[in-house]
Amino acid sequence: MLIGVCSVKGSPGVTTAALALAACWPVGDPLVIEADPAGGDLTARHRLAATPGLVSLAAAARRQSGPDLLAEHSQRLPGGLRVVPGPVAAEQARAALSVLTTRGVRAVRAAAGLPDAAVLVDVGRVDASSPALPLLRGADSVLVMARPHADELSHVATLLGEVPTWTRTPGLVLIGDGYDRTEVEHELRVPVMGTLPDDRPGAAVLCGQGRGRTPDRSPLGRAAGRVARTLVAHIDTHNKPENPHATAPDFAPQASSHGNGVVPR
């Protein structure tokens, strides 16, 4: 299963959310690829070695495309979660992504296609010109992280015409307080897979602080577990053999009767 995780505007914590989802994934041994063109945070946060990671994966993908390639270029976080950390420098991250999206997409999809596998690709902020975009095309789902505020949701609305061309199962994950999920779903006509709380202690564990604590016991971890289970069920429903021609709903945002065309004031 290949899952893209991104945002459109602001800093809703895409990397932390991707780690939370993977740490509470209901099956298998998930892996997170830090493919943010702006540079990665995992190496510094968790004091990881510079390699293996995204750079070594991109170099290896020039010659190999087997399903074991991602695992060979991953590291384990203290809690056991497998990650392919990105380089800190944006220039180096973009160079690695240029190679990986040209030569390595097959390896990423091969790993994601293994039984009970889940590969979550954190691409940071995304738009139609993102060098990480080829990693999202054809994904089983693309999750857009956003705070449920009018300004962020307005930017999300501008992307909703593009996301269904990348995946059959787009969805929103709302982070923190703001508009109600039902209200957002109604206005933007895109499924909200769940909400994640502003849980700083829980996020700190995922950022390499609070050693000895497990993310699944925090409010953030419990919410992420619910989102992960909902997402897996949603994807399984779309992939059922009796529904082979299922297509994504029309997610084009509609003008709102409340006046601002995105969410009610």
Side-chain angles (χ1 to χ4, degrees):
M1 194 172 287
L2 180 61
I3 311 296
V5 187
C6 65
S7 69
V8 181
K9 181 76 172 177
S11 300
V14 175
T15 300
T16 301
L19 293 179
L21 290 169
C24 301
W25 201 256
V27 294
D29 184 18
L31 179 147
V32 176
I33 302 176
E34 191 177 31
D36 188 342
D41 297 317
L42 293 179
T43 298
R45 287 178 180 176
H46 295 275
R47 300 177 180 85
L48 300 178
T51 189
L54 191 72
V55 174
S56 66
L57 173 63
R62 294 176 183 269
R63 306 178 303 276
Q64 307 171 52
S65 60
D68 296 330
L69 192 62
L70 265 63
E72 293 170 2
H73 292 273
S74 68
Q75 300 185 46
R76 293 273 186 183
L77 297 185
L81 181 63
R82 287 192 301 161
V83 299
V84 177
V88 175
E91 183 177 356
Q92 195 175 15
R94 285 178 170 269
L97 283 171
S98 176
V99 175
L100 185 63
T101 55
T102 302
R103 302 288 186 89
V105 173
R106 183 180 299 178
V108 173
R109 291 179 178 167
L114 293 173
D116 291 335
V119 176
L120 289 82
V121 185
D122 161 24
V123 300
R125 297 183 193 178
V126 72
D127 57 35
S129 64
S130 172
L133 193 56
L135 295 174
L136 299 185
R137 296 190 187 279
D140 292 288
S141 180
V142 173
L143 297 178
V144 180
M145 305 286 159
R147 295 189 179 278
H149 305 156
D151 53 351
E152 284 203 27
L153 293 174
S154 296
H155 288 281
V156 169
T158 67
L159 190 69
L160 292 184
E162 295 287 334
V163 178
T165 68
W166 307 338
T167 177
R168 287 173 52 188
T169 315
L172 279 175
V173 175
L174 304 178
I175 299 179
D177 296 328
Y179 290 116
D180 178 80
R181 60 178 292 176
T182 304
E183 195 173 24
V184 173
E185 276 191 329
H186 174 72
E187 295 295 327
L188 294 186
R189 299 177 61 202
V190 63
V192 174
M193 297 296 176
T195 60
L196 300 179
D198 269 325
D199 174 21
R200 292 190 178 185
V205 174
L206 294 163
C207 291
Q209 305 166 25
R211 302 284 182 181
R213 299 168 60 193
T214 56
D216 59 317
R217 296 183 178 275
S218 68
L220 174 58
R222 291 193 292 271
R226 291 192 293 270
V227 172
R229 291 189 294 273
T230 297
L231 179 61
V232 169
H234 203 77
I235 293 172
D236 285 346
T237 298
H238 276 72
N239 290 341
K240 281 183 178 179
E242 60 267 26
N243 193 25
H245 302 296
T247 57
D250 176 11
F251 292 131
Q254 293 182 323
S256 168
S257 59
H258 298 278
N260 67 352
V262 180
V263 289
R265 295 185 183 278

